[in-house]
Amino acid sequence: MSKSRKTSAANEEFGDVVRLKPYQYIHVHDNNTNCSRVVVGPATFTKQEHEQILIAPQQMCTVPSRHYCIIENPIIRDAKGELVKDRHGQVKVRLGDREIRLEQEPFPLYPQEILAGDKIHPLKVLPPNKALVLKAVRDIGDKSAGDEWLFEGPGTYIPRIEEQIVEERSAIIMQPNTALLLRARAACIDRTQIQRQAGEEWLYLGSGAYLPGVEEEVVRVEHAKILTQNKALQVEALRDFKDQFGKARKAGEQWLVTHRMACAYIVGPDEKVLREVDLVVLSATQFCRVTDPWQNGKQLLGQKEIRRGRASFFLNPGEQLECGIESIYVLGAEEALLLRAEEGFTDVDAAGKEVQRKPGDRWMIYGPREYVPSVKAEVMEKRQSIALDENEGIYVRDTKTGAVREVVGQTYMLAPDEELWAKPMSEKVLEKLDALPRAEQGRGGGGQAKKKDPTRVVTYSVPHNCVVQVYDYKKKKPRIVFGPDMVKLGPEEEFTMLKLSGDRPKRPGVISTLCLSLGPDFMTDIVQVETSDHARLSLQLAYSWFFDCKAGDMAAATKVFNVADFVGDACSAIASRIRGAVAGEPFDTFHKNSAAIIQAAVFGVNKATGKPRDRLEFKNNLLVVTSVDIQSVEPVDAKTREALMKSVQLAIEITTKSQEAAARHDAERREQRAKGELERQIIDDKAKAEKERLLLLALQAESAAIESTGASKAEARAIAAAAQIEGESQVNIARLRAEAQTIMIEAELQVEDTKKAADIAFKQRLSALELEQAAALARVETEKFKACVTSIGQETIGAMARAGPEMQAKLLKGLGLQGYLMTDGNSPINLMNAASQLTGGPPAGVPVV
């Protein structure tokens, strides 16, 4: 419908006559033959009755230079380029086909021909390092449909219907230390003329621009790994191949790439980098143990190798440092190494003799020396001589026999079969050994005690007037040490820990101690008693005591330790005596005579004298109590305590009131005395004030007289002083003005002198410069003339001087004249220069250069 409408519109617009301009055409349809034809201008077309104009006049298709167009349903031409028509006279077309037309004369579109896209396309110009990937859409020449190939620049691509552009490729610029990882999409021959299989990957290591082939795919750009003296690469082969250095590699094989092989290494597709290996550097005092080392191209699995500095190396694949980099053992004179053989080998001792070592053997290497251990020996420990004072020691255990002994007061180095033995000690004993002495605790000594070394001989300083018992479990007998002295425990000895009663009232096991004080000392206890009238009292008593044992008396000291808790035993015995004595006395009697009753109960009464004894002795442990001090007596019953407090308060109140009355009487007496002294002082002060008032009046009269005469004197003096000051100021002003004028004149003179001196110096300098310039120019001219003369040479100058006269002579000789003169008779003739002037030479005396 749209085509018929366009046709009818064209017929109505142009009518029966259509005037076609140059390069215009129309389509005319013959209704009789039902065929269409093209009418090309310039022409005037008159439409017949049976004809119909299909389209309005159209401009011909013009394909300029380096352009092309695509025609759909193109017409068919024969070998001569003539149109091919069917039997009805209609021009044949290739329906569904396309045709590319390049630069040519303008041409019309025949019926059914269509300009694809209604536009003209420019030809594609490819610069260098560019290419088009072309694909055959139909068989063409030696290419089948589906084949792909490259059209590389520089050049102009002329399109064809049989092929289409798949993509445009750009060359990849290869930077230094880079490579292209390529993959073959199909079996092909790569750009380097090597046969490749489909899926095969390879590296291109060239430089410059690289344009991948049509069957080559760029996987990625591989950057080289820079290798330095301190870094190498551990590489593993993914499959069998030949590496970049021409060496065949097996799948799974690992090797090192160092800077000696290549400064920059690009990893290929058949290998991968496992890790970067750092350079192991050993100084002169270092060594290392390498496990599974490589030797002669083979790895010795399960073996070790010692490498000593100075050295630097990379660890090969599979090699490891067993303990990292170790320092060489530098042994001093008091140091040694304990070694143990891990397997049998032949060793050389310090004397240079061969020694056969068996597995498990232990021996020592003594200093001073350097030592690098063998791979077949293990360094168990580094030992040092132990310096011991006379009061210091160590416990040493023989590893073969198990015997333990102590070494005291010498510098000792352990033997190969000896070791330090840690003596087991109970926690309570360690606490007592670590604690400060009681004297220092009383003075406020603080700080955490240093932990003791269990291998050191246990020592304990026994305080003065104290005794310590040590029990030897091997000999089954005790040992007693008197202070002040130091106890050194043997390997089988232990301290006897004493647990004494403490607190008030006494409780067993409160105090733990290693030493026992022999006294004198005191202990305090609280004892509850009950009187005959059932009054219960709490007594706080302090007992002074000592042990009747002299220093060095082992028999007596042994008795001292017969009673484990002498404090509890003594306090219990004394308390029982006091309770028995108080139970037979009423409260009032005990309250008045408590000291005598308790003394008699504790010490007993001497039957001969009837007085209490002065000491109480305990025969079983030689403890002697010498005195009992009653520190406080408090009723236990509340009512008794209240009655006692009331009586005490009443006594205190009576005493207080008597003291208040005495103080009041004394205060009143002091008050009366103070009042009398105050009144007498007032009278004395009034008399002194009258005397001072008379003196004041006299001074006031004198000051009034002085004031009246002093005013006039002061005024006259002020006027004279003012005049004097004014005169002096005028004189000073005149003097200053004169000084200022003098300074100004001197400054002007100085400025003039400076200007004149500067002017004179300038003129002198200018004259000197002019003289220097004239001298320099003269030297330049002289040197120039000298250089000219030197460059020309004496022979040349002589030849130039002779050239003029000789030429004149030859000229005259050639003319056959001896010479001639032409003159008007008015000018004088210089015969000296006649020859020169006749020949045109320079005047005589002028140098020829």
Side-chain angles (χ1 to χ4, degrees):
M1 292 296 292
S2 61
K3 186 174 182 180
S4 62
R5 288 177 183 176
K6 289 181 180 179
T7 303
S8 60
N11 292 327
E12 292 176 359
E13 181 180 356
F14 298 102
D16 295 336
V17 178
V18 179
R19 292 176 175 82
L20 298 176
K21 297 179 182 180
Y23 302 113
Q24 286 187 338
Y25 68 95
I26 59 174
H27 291 174
V28 179
H29 183 71
D30 191 336
N31 292 326
N32 292 335
T33 61
N34 204 25
C35 294
S36 300
R37 72 180 188 274
V38 175
V39 179
V40 180
T44 300
F45 173 74
T46 302
K47 183 181 73 169
Q48 302 298 322
E49 186 68 24
H50 61 279
E51 292 178 337
Q52 183 181 1
I53 299 174
L54 297 179
I55 60 173
Q58 303 287 330
Q59 287 290 334
M60 293 183 181
C61 294
T62 303
V63 180
S65 176
R66 304 189 66 79
H67 285 70
Y68 72 98
C69 66
I70 301 174
I71 304 299
E72 297 180 356
N73 305 322
I75 59 174
I76 301 175
R77 295 180 183 271
D78 57 13
K80 296 181 180 180
E82 300 296 333
L83 295 175
V84 178
K85 299 182 180 179
D86 59 10
R87 60 188 178 86
H88 302 290
Q90 179 70 40
V91 178
K92 289 186 176 182
V93 296
R94 299 194 302 271
L95 292 175
D97 201 355
R98 310 176 92 189
E99 183 181 77
I100 293 177
R101 297 178 184 176
L102 302 174
E103 176 186 358
Q104 56 181 291
E105 293 293 328
F107 60 91
L109 293 177
Y110 284 85
Q112 297 186 8
E113 283 188 335
I114 300 173
L115 178 62
D118 292 331
K119 61 181 179 179
I120 308 299
H121 305 278
L123 293 176
K124 193 169 188 65
V125 178
L126 292 178
N129 299 328
K130 293 278 188 177
L132 294 177
V133 179
L134 303 179
K135 183 177 182 181
V137 296
R138 62 183 75 173
D139 294 344
I140 172 175
D142 59 344
K143 295 181 176 61
S144 302
D147 288 349
E148 293 183 355
W149 67 95
L150 287 181
F151 178 82
E152 301 183 17
T156 302
Y157 172 69
I158 299 176
R160 301 176 63 180
I161 293 301
E162 295 84 358
E163 61 193 26
Q164 67 179 10
I165 299 175
V166 178
E167 63 177 349
E168 181 179 345
R169 288 185 179 178
S170 299
I172 299 175
I173 306 301
M174 302 296 294
Q175 300 292 335
N177 296 329
T178 58
L180 285 180
L181 180 60
L182 303 174
R183 182 188 296 129
R185 298 191 300 173
C188 64
I189 298 176
D190 66 7
R191 309 284 285 187
T192 58
Q193 304 304 314
I194 299 176
Q195 182 68 36
R196 302 294 182 183
Q197 301 299 323
E200 181 182 354
E201 293 183 352
W202 70 96
L203 283 180
Y204 175 74
L205 301 173
S207 60
Y210 180 77
L211 189 62
V214 66
E215 299 297 344
E216 296 177 4
E217 177 186 359
V218 177
V219 180
R220 61 179 176 271
V221 177
E222 292 285 356
H223 294 274
K225 296 185 180 295
I226 305 301
L227 301 178
T228 63
Q229 295 181 353
N230 299 325
K231 183 173 71 174
L233 296 178
Q234 184 175 341
V235 184
E236 181 181 13
L238 300 177
R239 59 189 66 88
D240 294 351
F241 78 106
K242 185 175 290 186
D243 65 9
Q244 301 176 16
F245 310 107
K247 188 174 182 179
R249 301 292 184 183
K250 299 294 183 181
E253 180 181 355
Q254 297 181 7
W255 68 96
L256 282 183
V257 180
T258 63
H259 72 285
R260 296 181 179 178
M261 302 169 65
C263 295
Y265 186 74
I266 300 176
V267 182
D270 300 320
E271 57 191 355
K272 68 176 181 180
V273 176
L274 296 179
R275 64 189 181 98
E276 290 185 355
V277 180
D278 294 328
L279 183 69
V280 179
V281 180
L282 301 178
S283 66
T285 59
Q286 292 177 331
F287 74 97
C288 65
R289 294 184 179 91
V290 180
T291 60
D292 303 331
W294 286 76
Q295 289 184 3
N296 300 324
K298 294 183 179 180
Q299 189 174 14
L300 306 178
L301 297 176
Q303 298 187 21
K304 299 179 182 179
E305 182 183 62
I306 295 291
R307 297 179 185 177
R308 180 175 178 177
R310 292 186 173 93
S312 59
F313 57 90
F314 291 104
L315 289 177
N316 290 312
E319 291 183 343
Q320 289 184 349
L321 296 181
E322 184 179 27
C323 300
I325 297 176
E326 303 177 67
S327 297
I328 293 176
Y329 292 98
V330 180
L331 303 178
E334 301 296 329
E335 293 177 329
L337 290 177
L338 177 61
L339 305 179
R340 183 179 64 185
E342 295 184 340
E343 56 184 280
F345 69 100
T346 302
D347 192 14
V348 179
D349 60 8
K353 298 180 180 179
E354 292 187 355
V355 179
Q356 190 66 31
R357 304 293 185 187
K358 297 180 181 180
D361 283 354
R362 293 158 60 108
W363 71 98
M364 302 276 287
I365 299 294
Y366 297 93
R369 61 172 295 179
E370 290 183 354
Y371 181 73
V372 178
S374 171
V375 294
K376 299 179 180 180
E378 176 191 3
V379 177
M380 298 185 64
E381 64 177 351
K382 184 178 181 179
R383 291 181 173 179
Q384 191 169 4
S385 297
I386 303 173
L388 301 173
D389 191 15
E390 60 180 358
N391 291 325
E392 294 179 335
I394 55 174
Y395 298 112
V396 178
R397 178 176 177 268
D398 192 322
T399 57
K400 291 183 177 180
T401 63
V404 181
R405 62 189 179 91
E406 57 180 330
V407 178
V408 180
Q410 60 177 319
T411 300
Y412 187 75
M413 173 68 77
L414 293 174
D417 297 324
E418 291 181 341
E419 63 180 4
L420 293 176
W421 180 72
K423 180 177 177 61
M425 300 287 291
S426 64
E427 293 294 333
K428 292 185 178 181
V429 173
L430 289 177
E431 289 178 3
K432 296 303 177 182
L433 292 175
D434 294 338
L436 293 174
R438 187 171 63 178
E440 295 185 10
Q441 291 178 357
R443 290 194 296 268
Q448 185 177 3
K450 185 178 179 181
K451 189 175 181 180
K452 292 184 178 296
D453 184 0
T455 62
R456 293 278 178 158
V457 169
V458 179
T459 60
Y460 180 72
S461 297
V462 182
H464 175 71
N465 200 29
C466 292
V467 63
V468 172
Q469 186 184 48
V470 178
Y471 189 81
D472 191 335
Y473 286 90
K474 187 175 182 179
K475 297 179 181 180
K476 305 293 184 181
K477 65 178 182 178
R479 177 167 63 94
I480 295 176
V481 179
F482 288 88
D485 198 354
M486 178 173 286
V487 179
K488 302 183 186 67
L489 286 186
E492 306 296 336
E493 291 182 333
E494 293 290 344
F495 286 105
T496 299
M497 176 68 72
L498 299 177
K499 293 185 177 181
L500 306 178
S501 298
D503 209 349
R504 291 177 296 181
K506 288 291 184 279
R507 293 184 297 107
V510 175
I511 300 174
S512 298
T513 182
L514 297 179
C515 63
L516 183 63
S517 176
L518 297 179
D521 204 343
F522 68 94
M523 51 188 174
T524 306
D525 192 14
I526 294 177
V527 180
Q528 289 188 0
V529 297
E530 186 175 357
T531 60
S532 59
D533 50 2
H534 304 292
R536 299 182 62 190
L537 303 175
S538 176
L539 307 179
Q540 182 171 334
L541 306 175
Y543 313 119
S544 296
W545 58 270
F546 70 93
F547 283 99
D548 189 10
C549 176
K550 295 182 180 181
D553 189 350
M554 294 299 175
T558 303
K559 289 185 178 181
V560 169
F561 288 95
N562 285 340
V563 179
D565 184 8
F566 77 94
V567 175
D569 182 71
C571 290
S572 298
I574 294 173
S576 63
R577 291 190 176 194
I578 293 174
R579 290 191 191 96
V582 175
E585 300 290 340
F587 174 75
D588 292 336
T589 305
F590 177 74
H591 186 65
K592 295 178 182 179
N593 304 310
S594 58
I597 293 172
I598 291 175
Q599 289 282 345
V602 173
F603 299 115
V605 178
N606 191 345
K607 296 180 180 180
T609 60
K611 294 181 180 180
R613 298 187 180 92
D614 57 353
R615 55 193 296 173
L616 174 63
E617 297 180 0
F618 294 88
K619 301 296 184 180
N620 54 350
N621 62 347
L622 304 182
L623 178 64
V624 178
V625 178
T626 57
S627 66
V628 179
D629 181 20
I630 304 173
Q631 295 181 342
S632 66
V633 178
E634 294 182 0
V636 178
D637 186 28
K639 292 182 179 181
T640 306
R641 186 184 302 110
E642 289 178 1
L644 182 61
M645 290 179 62
K646 286 181 180 180
S647 62
V648 172
Q649 288 178 356
L650 182 61
I652 293 172
E653 184 178 356
I654 294 171
T655 304
T656 303
K657 288 182 179 180
S658 63
Q659 290 178 353
E660 287 180 355
R664 190 184 305 111
H665 177 72
D666 188 31
E668 290 177 356
R669 179 175 57 80
R670 291 181 179 178
E671 183 180 1
Q672 291 297 327
R673 182 181 298 173
K675 285 182 179 180
E677 292 179 353
L678 178 61
E679 289 178 358
R680 186 174 59 184
Q681 185 67 34
I682 291 172
I683 294 171
D684 293 340
D685 291 342
K686 287 181 179 180
K688 291 180 180 179
E690 287 297 328
K691 292 181 181 179
E692 294 295 333
R693 192 169 66 83
L694 293 176
L695 182 59
L696 176 62
L697 292 175
L699 293 174
Q700 286 178 351
E702 185 178 357
S703 62
I706 293 172
E707 183 179 0
S708 61
T709 56
S712 57
K713 290 182 180 180
E715 184 177 359
R717 290 176 181 174
I719 293 171
Q724 184 178 358
I725 292 170
E726 183 177 1
E728 291 177 354
S729 63
Q730 292 295 331
V731 172
N732 290 334
I733 290 170
R735 180 173 53 78
L736 293 174
R737 286 177 179 174
E739 291 178 356
Q741 189 68 22
T742 303
I743 292 170
M744 290 176 65
I745 293 171
E746 290 178 354
E748 291 176 357
L749 291 175
Q750 187 175 1
V751 170
E752 289 295 331
D753 292 342
T754 305
K755 286 181 178 180
K756 290 179 181 180
D759 192 11
I760 292 170
F762 173 73
K763 290 180 179 180
Q764 289 177 352
R765 182 61 179 165
L766 184 60
S767 300
L769 291 175
E770 289 176 353
L771 290 175
E772 291 178 0
Q773 183 181 8
L777 291 174
R779 285 194 301 271
V780 170
E781 291 296 332
T782 303
E783 292 175 356
K784 177 181 177 183
F785 181 75
K786 185 184 296 183
C788 290
V789 172
T790 304
S791 62
I792 294 173
Q794 296 179 0
E795 296 178 357
T796 305
I797 294 173
M800 292 173 64
R802 292 192 300 272
E806 290 177 356
M807 184 183 65
Q808 293 173 5
K810 289 180 181 179
L811 181 59
L812 293 176
K813 186 177 180 181
L815 293 175
L817 298 176
Q818 296 297 324
Y820 67 92
L821 289 175
M822 295 179 65
T823 179
D824 58 356
N826 296 324
S827 299
I829 298 173
N830 185 1
L831 295 178
M832 298 298 295
N833 299 328
S836 297
Q837 292 175 357
L838 287 174
T839 60
V846 178
V848 178
V849 180

